[in-house]
Amino acid sequence: MNEDHYIKKIDRVTSILVQLQSKPIVRAQDLADKFEVSVRTIYRDIKTLENAGIPIFGEAGSGYSLVDGYKLPPVMFSKEEVLSFITAEKLMQNFSHESLDSHYNSAMEKVKSVLRNSEKNLVTDIENQINIYSYQPEKTDSIKNIIPTILESISEKTQLKINYESAKTEASERIIEAVGIFYEFNYWYVMAFCTMRKDYRQFRVDRILKIIKTENPFHQEYGKVADYKQKSNTEKVQVKLLVEKKIMPHIMNSMKYYGWISDEETENGMLITFETSWIDEGFPRWLITFADYAEIIEPEYLKDTMADLIQNISKKLK
């Protein structure tokens, strides 16, 4: 076997050790897929680690983990990994929720504590050269650790009792079963099954006035949060717009939020199809931002809605 083969094996075995450190159980098939080798090769790599004195619990066909309580020396990071940490930290400073900030900062301090001196100097030299510019609304959350509380309820499969203020400033008490959280248009949301509405709902985190993690378990097995984001009993209306191609780069990021389904290039522009439940308010107000570059194909009554909206705006400008 050549030298290149041994180097690849050393890198792979080291990476397998990192996987064992970071996960409660690791399947041989998952490792084989990750490193693009056979399962038999992974078995041999595991044997190599065992022969080196690493106490690994498990067997072929089920999964592997480090024996509970076994501690390994700190993991060494490459220069490229350190640079990715710095960039990720800058992103977190702008897009993280305040209830996560202290926990993330504490975790990053622990990561930085195991860096070599040369890597620490790299952090010092480069972190002021990276900046993320973004608009962030004023944070108004009054509940400490609200997102960790939501995530704990998902992990423990227990219901949450919340007091929630709607966009119309109407407060209500809900019992929810949280599916997951997501970040969209500068706000954090929790996707959940609302026991009162008997349907899936998304709640903006900053509008939750009170949250209590109950002892009531739920038994429904929920999938990924993306699987439920579009689920709702609210009736959706199909909208078709013919949009000038030159405006597309300016609206592409927001189209999905307003129900984008598909788009098709035609001789006269881009024919875009939406399905939206915001046909009365949200969609027309978004459409008016580029209405001079768009033609409404359907529904016909959306033209009347837009005409009324434009007329009302005109009156305000006189």
Side-chain angles (χ1 to χ4, degrees):
M1 295 185 183
N2 58 35
E3 182 179 352
D4 185 57
H5 170 82
Y6 284 113
I7 292 174
K8 287 183 178 179
K9 179 173 181 177
I10 291 171
D11 288 343
R12 188 176 63 249
V13 169
T14 302
S15 296
I16 290 173
L17 183 55
V18 171
Q19 293 289 307
L20 290 168
Q21 286 182 265
S22 61
K23 298 179 180 179
I25 190 165
V26 180
R27 294 174 60 249
Q29 184 61 61
D30 293 338
L31 292 172
D33 293 341
K34 179 179 177 64
F35 299 110
E36 299 181 342
V37 297
S38 67
V39 173
R40 187 177 294 275
T41 296
I42 296 298
Y43 293 159
R44 289 197 292 266
D45 291 341
I46 293 293
K47 190 66 177 176
T48 297
L49 287 169
E50 290 176 331
N51 291 339
I54 306 298
I56 298 175
F57 176 80
E59 58 184 20
S62 57
Y64 300 98
S65 61
L66 291 175
V67 171
D68 192 31
Y70 179 72
K71 301 296 183 183
L72 287 168
V75 176
M76 294 295 104
F77 299 104
S78 68
K79 180 173 68 174
E80 292 77 13
E81 289 169 335
V82 173
L83 290 171
S84 72
F85 289 151
I86 302 170
T87 307
E89 184 174 24
K90 291 291 183 177
L91 284 167
M92 284 292 289
Q93 289 170 355
N94 280 272
F95 296 103
S96 175
H97 188 269
E98 60 183 330
S99 66
L100 300 174
D101 287 347
S102 62
H103 304 292
Y104 178 78
N105 292 336
S106 175
M108 282 304 300
E109 287 174 359
K110 292 177 182 178
V111 169
K112 291 177 181 178
S113 72
V114 303
L115 298 178
R116 295 185 290 260
N117 285 336
S118 60
E119 294 164 346
K120 291 177 181 178
N121 291 335
L122 176 62
V123 171
T124 302
D125 292 339
I126 205 70
E127 62 182 352
N128 290 329
Q129 309 310 123
I130 302 173
N131 211 339
I132 309 295
Y133 296 99
S134 67
Y135 166 73
Q136 288 290 306
E138 183 180 353
K139 296 179 179 180
T140 57
D141 300 332
S142 58
I143 304 173
K144 185 179 180 182
N145 284 337
I146 184 168
I147 286 186
T149 299
I150 294 169
L151 295 177
E152 285 174 11
S153 79
I154 296 171
S155 175
E156 298 170 7
K157 300 191 71 171
T158 54
Q159 294 179 334
L160 292 168
K161 179 189 290 187
I162 64 171
N163 286 353
Y164 187 73
E165 184 178 68
S166 70
K168 298 179 180 179
T169 66
E170 297 173 349
S172 62
E173 184 176 276
R174 309 284 187 95
I175 300 294
I176 63 172
E177 298 176 358
V179 174
I181 62 173
F182 63 94
Y183 182 85
E184 188 172 60
F185 289 90
N186 293 317
Y187 291 101
W188 282 95
Y189 295 82
V190 53
M191 174 60 67
F193 180 80
C194 177
T195 60
M196 182 174 73
R197 301 296 186 190
K198 305 298 182 186
D199 191 16
Y200 297 94
R201 292 287 189 270
Q202 58 188 52
F203 301 92
R204 224 172 78 180
V205 168
D206 63 308
R207 290 180 177 161
I208 297 177
L209 307 177
K210 185 178 180 181
I211 187 167
I212 298 174
K213 189 173 64 174
T214 75
E215 296 182 0
N216 303 326
F218 61 85
H219 305 289
Q220 174 67 34
E221 291 292 338
Y222 295 112
K224 299 177 181 178
V225 64
D227 297 337
Y228 294 88
K229 193 171 181 302
Q230 299 300 325
K231 289 188 177 182
S232 173
N233 287 333
T234 305
E235 183 180 355
K236 289 182 170 59
V237 175
Q238 186 174 92
V239 177
K240 288 184 180 292
L241 303 178
L242 186 63
V243 176
E244 292 184 30
K245 295 176 185 178
K246 64 182 179 182
I247 199 65
M248 288 296 291
H250 302 284
I251 64 173
M252 287 189 67
N253 288 339
S254 55
M255 288 196 315
K256 189 172 182 180
Y257 184 75
Y258 287 95
W260 171 85
I261 298 297
S262 65
D263 53 74
E264 176 186 353
E265 187 171 353
T266 72
E267 292 182 358
N268 299 319
M270 298 297 294
L271 181 62
I272 312 176
T273 302
F274 300 85
E275 285 188 357
T276 179
S277 55
W278 299 344
I279 193 65
D280 295 324
E281 281 288 336
F283 193 92
R285 293 184 182 280
W286 173 66
L287 175 56
I288 205 169
T289 64
F290 61 97
D292 50 337
Y293 297 100
E295 177 186 349
I296 299 170
I297 305 300
E298 63 176 63
E300 190 68 24
Y301 68 83
L302 180 56
K303 297 179 181 179
D304 296 330
T305 302
M306 293 296 294
D308 291 341
L309 182 57
I310 292 170
Q311 186 177 23
N312 289 335
I313 293 173
S314 299
K315 290 178 180 178
K316 299 282 186 183
L317 297 176
K318 290 181 180 179

